[in-house]
Amino acid sequence: MYGTQSKRDLALEFQSQIPILRPSIHSRRANLTVKFQDLYGFTVEGNVDDVNVLNEVREKVREQGRVWWALEASKGANWYLQPEVSNGIVLKSSLKISALANAITLKKLIRKGIPPVLRPKVWFSLSGAAKKKSTVPESYYNDLSKAVEGKVTPATRQIDHDLPRTFPGHSWLDTPEGHAALRRVLVGYSFRDSDVGYCQGLNYVAALLLLVMKTEEDAFWMLAVLLENVLVNDCYTTNLSGCHVEQRVFKDLLTKKCPRIAAHLEALEFDVSLVATEWFLCLFSKSLPSETTLRVWDILFYEGAKVLFHVALAIFKMKEDELLLTHHVGDVINILQRTTHHLFDPDDLLTVAFDKIGSMTTTTLSKQRKKQEPAVMAELDQRLRRLNSLKVEDK
């Protein structure tokens, strides 16, 4: 897919994908709301300041692209796919100095963003999707799609219901062709993992994967590695137990990392899961602008799910002063929604996420999850008992 194009051709394709947004002279003068399409075909509404920010972001993307191409020229094509580098965490005893240097360089590069034209290849390799795909016959996805065609399950019915509601108005996703491709990916995975089946939220994740990866099969494997290896277990199962655990962990982290905000929200009786549940289930794809979301995903597929906590905390931290002045739950929600929808510069968000929130290790998060799991399971069991008792009374 990639080997047939020269670096020069890829670079030219990369440059052509990033147009400069030029608001009209009337918009510049009047600060009116303008509409335009971003790199991934989403219609964006914003003022002229937003357009200027997006132009600056596109220039940063160009600069980052030049850095990646320069490294390919000096270190060799696909240097970041070497096993010593792409494993993310490896034993130091097995690392040569050059490989360790490459791993450090790669982490810094990924945090600054993967160029759009390289994103499919880099994601597919570094996430483990390529390795996962290699363990099954080459025809796996096509065979699966044919085998499940025409079958009706609760999952397929819910998928069909959600297709037209997935990024409505998008130039490709909201078309018969886009709906069909998204349906095949989601239905295929619902049969691959019957414990997950289908959960609302996955439609947005799979849709964005399709836009980035270009092919259904690659999007399918990215979805598989995401649910089976990158995220915690049971985030998308029927009772969403994994998601409930993540929400409890996040509340504890908010108290620890942003104590003033946490105390104020508790006084307002504001439950952070009102906003954070969608963030975690949709991996910010419904909340943040597309390029900002994908910058978060760049890190997610290399460093793991801890980035979701970094980003969620950063959103609260960025608006700390404003949030502390709120008196109503609705005001909190409005501030957070307005903030996320206009975070056009990924660096603004990620700088806070990693420089101001502080470090967070995967091991620490795992311990926090284990601590919260018993309370979550007890709560879900109690809820199930209550529902069953109501059913008996209805009879």
Side-chain angles (χ1 to χ4, degrees), residues 176-197:
E177 181 186 2
H179 287 173
L182 180 56
R183 187 184 193 279
R184 284 189 291 269
V185 170
L186 291 171
V187 169
Y189 193 80
S190 75
F191 279 89
R192 173 181 169 86
D193 187 345
S194 58
D195 288 336
V196 171

Side-chain angles (χ1 to χ4, degrees), residues 64 67-68 70-72 74-75 79-80 84-85 88 97-114 126 302-303:
Q64 187 68 356
V67 172
W68 280 79
L71 281 167
E72 288 235 332
S74 63
K75 294 178 179 289
W79 64 273
Y80 40 83
E84 298 90 349
V85 179
I97 297 299
S98 60
L100 180 59
N102 280 349
I104 294 170
T105 299
L106 182 60
K107 182 176 180 178
K108 289 180 178 177
L109 273 176
I110 287 175
R111 285 196 177 185
K112 289 183 179 179
I114 302 170
L126 297 186
Y302 186 61
E303 297 187 40

Side-chain angles (χ1 to χ4, degrees), residues 112-127:
K112 289 183 179 179
I114 302 170
V117 73
L118 287 177
R119 206 167 249 149
K121 180 175 69 168
V122 176
W123 278 11
F124 203 67
S125 297
L126 297 186
S127 67

Side-chain angles (χ1 to χ4, degrees), residues 288-297 343-346 349-350:
L288 296 173
S290 64
E291 181 57 26
T292 304
T293 299
L294 297 179
R295 284 284 300 278
V296 173
W297 288 16
L343 276 170
F344 293 112
D345 190 341
L349 174 64
L350 295 175

